[in-house]
Amino acid sequence: MAMIDTHLHLIDQSVLTYPWLSGSEALNRNFLYEKYATQAHRVGITHALHMEVDVAPAEIETETDYVASLARQSGNLIAGAISACRPEEPGFAAFLQRQQINPFVKGFRRVLHVMPDNLSEDPLFRENIKRLGGTGLTFDLCVLPRQIDKAIALVDLAQDVQFILDHCGVPDIKANGLEEWRGKITDIARRPNVTAKISGVVAYADAETWRLETLEPYVHHVVESFGWDRLVWGSDWPVCTLGGGLSTWVAATHALLSGCSDDEKARLFSGNARRIWKLR
């Protein structure tokens, strides 16, 4: 079954600067397209969206240009980019205008799970997120369970913006954080302008001990809460290497969906992504 990977990160330290990598020894090296593509072809991935990697702010548009240059190469899997952005800054409106004329840009993300909890409550931040309404550009929410209430407030203020909840809402699987997380997911799933991304969860489990049963209650609750028309899939490569790697995560996903119909799986793996981001 064809798969669209909606969450691919590429790291090329010869081109871009990643300040956060100094605190992540396991990821502080290059993860280039060629290595990803070899693995992606083996597991059935036919298209990918590049997800911003929190480069130095001055290099945000450089990152998009770099990924676009890769995508222009014959046979490349990359079909678009989710760009970094800074909605809390006055220059966002002009930045948005530049991105709107670039068909390669499919949406935006401002990493929130490593930022102060109140960043999304800033009036300018909220005003700028509302600017996405009517543009067809999405906004990815990468938040911790304790921040989901604040994400909901943002979603409710911008009801004509399509939001994507990354990594099943970042549950703390390693610490058995199911109960704290479960109700927050149920609540945000009531918002029709939010789609959930089945991605990243292997990196939140114990890398040495997780089994399929470890992930099952988290993934199944997201599926049950959002329904098959509001789900997409992502690899979160190379972060997924912290929990077993791309092929392990793809195999786990197929196993977790073993009782689902082909139509349901097709919507999750490709159909919804094609519709949301207008991919061919």
Side-chain angles (χ1 to χ4, degrees), residues 33-46:
Y33 172 79
E34 290 76 16
K35 184 172 184 178
Y36 167 78
T38 298
Q39 299 176 44
H41 283 297
R42 290 172 178 171
V43 297
I45 292 171
T46 60

Side-chain angles (χ1 to χ4, degrees), residues 150-214:
K150 295 184 184 298
I152 288 171
L154 188 63
V155 166
D156 287 346
L157 286 168
Q159 296 184 23
D160 56 347
V161 175
Q162 173 67 69
F163 292 89
I164 312 295
L165 182 67
D166 289 353
H167 309 326
C168 296
V170 193
D172 190 354
I173 300 175
K174 188 180 295 186
N176 297 313
L178 181 65
E179 293 310 314
E180 174 197 8
W181 165 89
R182 192 201 307 263
K184 301 287 185 71
I185 291 298
T186 301
D187 197 6
I188 197 169
R190 295 190 180 104
R191 277 66 186 178
N193 57 325
V194 182
T195 289
K197 187 179 295 184
I198 305 295
S199 62
V201 290
V202 291
Y204 306 129
D206 187 293
E208 301 300 324
T209 63
W210 75 263
R211 302 170 59 175
L212 195 67
E213 293 80 7
T214 311

Side-chain angles (χ1 to χ4, degrees), residues 11 36 44 65 79 89 95 99 107 125-126 130-131 158 171 216 226 232 238:
I11 297 174
Y36 167 78
D65 293 341
E89 295 181 357
F95 168 81
Q99 309 319 304
F125 189 106
R126 291 182 166 188
K130 289 181 182 179
R131 293 178 187 274
E216 189 173 43
F226 282 87
V232 294

